């Protein structure tokens, strides 16, 4: 198999009952749209008791049944927020960490392309993996950046350096988009106890033109017992118009 092979999302997760939370970022096959997707899965009652809701600048997670919510600290957050020409996508409250640093930068009136290039990494350097021993769930993040010359995107994973959570290892990946190619990063390699953290580079997955087809492919490919919610967004690169799809298991 070539390192440049691109598999469908369905083939990438086939037979894997628990990849956890996942982010896909890339470009549609026709080269006309930036595409991102975010999904959550859950094994516990607390993790499964969630729904996505669209907001003015992205999405937020709510408890489906507030009376059953146990610990909100790692399950209730805003996975997607947009500011200026940036779309931030993460699996935790680090969304707000990135957003707030960008907001502060733009409010300052600064115009330093070199500094702006690394706001995403600078914000995430203040965070680490989740404090959920023994899993030490990694924080996965992405930012899609739109400009006059199109867009690019970055991904990041913050994970424990060892089984004891002694230190945090930080990895960042920068991409120039290619038509039909997406990169997929998720929190876990597969199910387990403790759950093994995602390893390696983000996986190369095919991104079609049809948002409905891609949404269905992702949702149908996730394990039936563990999938919870999915959000997919396509941004027209010519007009900036966003088209979104949202699926909640709890309705």
């Amino acid at each position: 198999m070539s390192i440049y092979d691109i598999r469908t999302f369905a083939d990438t997760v086939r037979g894997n009952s628990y990849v956890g939370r996942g982010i896909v970022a890339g470009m549609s096959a026709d080269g006309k749209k930036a595409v991102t997707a975010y999904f959550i899965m859950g094994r516990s009652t607390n993790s499964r008791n969630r729904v996505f809701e669209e907001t003015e600048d992205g999405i937020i997670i709510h408890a489906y049944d507030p009376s059953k919510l146990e610990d909100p600290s790692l399950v209730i957050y805003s996975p997607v927020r947009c500011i200026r020409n940036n779309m931030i996508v993460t699996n935790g409250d680090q969304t707000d960490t990135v957003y707030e640093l960008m907001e502060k930068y733009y409010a300052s009136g600064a115009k330093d392309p070199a500094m702006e290039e690394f706001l995403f990494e600078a914000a995430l350097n203040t965070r680490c993996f989740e404090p959920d021993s023994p899993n030490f769930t990694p924080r996965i993040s992405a930012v899609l950046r739109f400009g006059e010359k199109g867009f690019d995107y970055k991904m990041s994973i913050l994970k424990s350096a060892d089984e004891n959570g002694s230190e945090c290892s930080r990895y960042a990946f920068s991409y120039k988009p290619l038509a039909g190619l997406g990169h997929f990063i998720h929190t876990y390699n597969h199910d387990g106890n403790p759950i093994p953290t995602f390893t390696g580079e983000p996986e190369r997955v095919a991104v079609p033109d049809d948002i409905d087809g891609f949404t269905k492919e992702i949702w149908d490919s996730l394990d039936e017992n563990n999938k919870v919610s999915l959000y997919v967004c396509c941004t027209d690169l010519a007009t900036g118009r966003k088209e979104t799809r949202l699926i909640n298991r709890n309705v």
Side-chain angles (χ1 to χ4, degrees), residues 7 12 22 47 56-57 94 108 116 151 161 168 172-173 176 197 199:
R7 296 192 295 172
T12 302
S47 292
E56 198 171 289
D57 69 346
Q94 73 267 27
S108 73
E116 189 170 346
F151 86 105
C168 181
F173 308 89
K176 294 293 185 182
T197 293
T199 53

Side-chain angles (χ1 to χ4, degrees), residues 59-122:
I59 56 173
I60 192 169
I61 295 176
H62 291 300
Y64 175 65
D65 183 346
S67 69
K68 295 181 179 179
L69 181 63
E70 299 168 11
D71 178 7
S73 62
L74 297 177
V75 297
I76 304 299
Y77 54 92
S78 298
V80 180
R81 296 188 71 183
C82 296
I83 178 170
R84 294 284 184 97
N85 61 332
N86 303 279
M87 176 183 287
I88 307 159
V89 187
T90 91
N91 72 324
D93 63 9
Q94 73 267 27
T95 306
D96 297 332
T97 304
V98 177
Y99 184 98
E100 288 162 8
L101 182 61
M102 289 183 172
E103 184 178 45
K104 183 178 179 180
Y105 170 80
Y106 292 127
S108 73
K111 294 183 179 180
D112 184 345
M115 181 180 294
E116 189 170 346
E117 172 74 20
F118 293 103
L119 290 174
F120 178 66
E121 291 93 333

Side-chain angles (χ1 to χ4, degrees), residues 162-173:
D162 61 19
E163 66 274 16
N164 300 315
S166 303
E167 294 290 348
C168 181
S169 297
R170 297 177 171 86
Y171 303 84
F173 308 89

Side-chain angles (χ1 to χ4, degrees), residues 201-219:
E201 295 183 16
E203 298 168 311
R204 294 162 62 90
V205 295
V207 179
D209 295 331
D210 177 27
I211 186 173
D212 290 313
F214 195 42
T215 301
K216 185 177 188 301
E217 178 187 3
I218 295 174
W219 186 249

Side-chain angles (χ1 to χ4, degrees), residues 91 94 124 127-130 132 135-141 156-173 185-189 195-202:
N91 72 324
Q94 73 267 27
L124 293 173
R127 304 301 303 270
C128 68
F129 51 85
E130 295 181 354
D132 61 341
N135 296 316
F136 300 117
T137 297
R139 292 189 186 272
I140 56 172
S141 308
S156 165
I157 183 167
L158 313 178
K159 59 184 182 179
S160 180
D162 61 19
E163 66 274 16
N164 300 315
S166 303
E167 294 290 348
C168 181
S169 297
R170 297 177 171 86
Y171 303 84
F173 308 89
I185 192 168
H186 40 100
T187 50
Y188 309 121
N189 278 337
I195 320 174
T197 293
F198 178 88
T199 53
E201 295 183 16

Side-chain angles (χ1 to χ4, degrees), residues 9-21:
F9 183 91
D11 284 343
T12 302
V13 302
R14 193 181 308 280
N16 193 335
S17 64
Y18 201 63
V19 294
R21 287 162 274 175

